[in-house]
Amino acid sequence: MGRMLKPVHPGRIIREDYMEPLELTMGDLATALGVTRQTMVKIVNGKSGISPEMALRLSEAFDTTPDLWLGMQKNYDLSIAREKFSSKTKVKKLFVNTTL
């Protein structure tokens, strides 16, 4: 089985799949979403994540669902966490006996 691709930051999806085809500037997008240009710069450049509120704004603007944007952010964040997490990380295993 092949190696799974690392999830990309949702900001890259915004840039490549929405801004570029629609020829939107950062300012155009910020105005359309009702946020500051700086907020959009941070998200599109992968410096900030997609909040639930931003997911609602994006879903309204691009006719998608908030779950799409939050799912992309979750997958990206989990991928980054997995890279940093080590089997040497001190975590005590805790189990609950669920068999009766």
Side-chain angles (χ1 to χ4, degrees), residues 23-44:
E23 298 180 358
L24 295 171
T25 66
M26 208 66 77
D28 294 335
L29 183 57
T31 298
L33 295 176
V35 298
T36 66
R37 184 181 180 284
Q38 190 58 33
T39 295
M40 287 317 311
V41 167
K42 287 179 181 177
I43 291 171
V44 170

Side-chain angles (χ1 to χ4, degrees), residues 35-91:
V35 298
T36 66
R37 184 181 180 284
Q38 190 58 33
T39 295
M40 287 317 311
V41 167
K42 287 179 181 177
I43 291 171
V44 170
N45 290 332
K47 304 297 183 197
S48 289
I50 302 294
S51 67
E53 180 183 331
M54 182 56 71
L56 289 167
R57 291 173 186 268
L58 291 166
S59 67
E60 188 69 23
F62 297 133
D63 196 28
T64 60
T65 66
D67 294 322
L68 171 76
W69 298 104
L70 291 174
M72 279 192 269
Q73 187 65 54
K74 176 197 64 140
N75 291 340
Y76 177 79
D77 290 345
L78 190 54
S79 173
I80 297 301
R82 279 188 177 125
E83 287 178 2
K84 294 178 182 177
F85 192 83
S86 165
S87 60
K88 295 175 186 161
T89 302
K90 299 285 185 202
V91 176

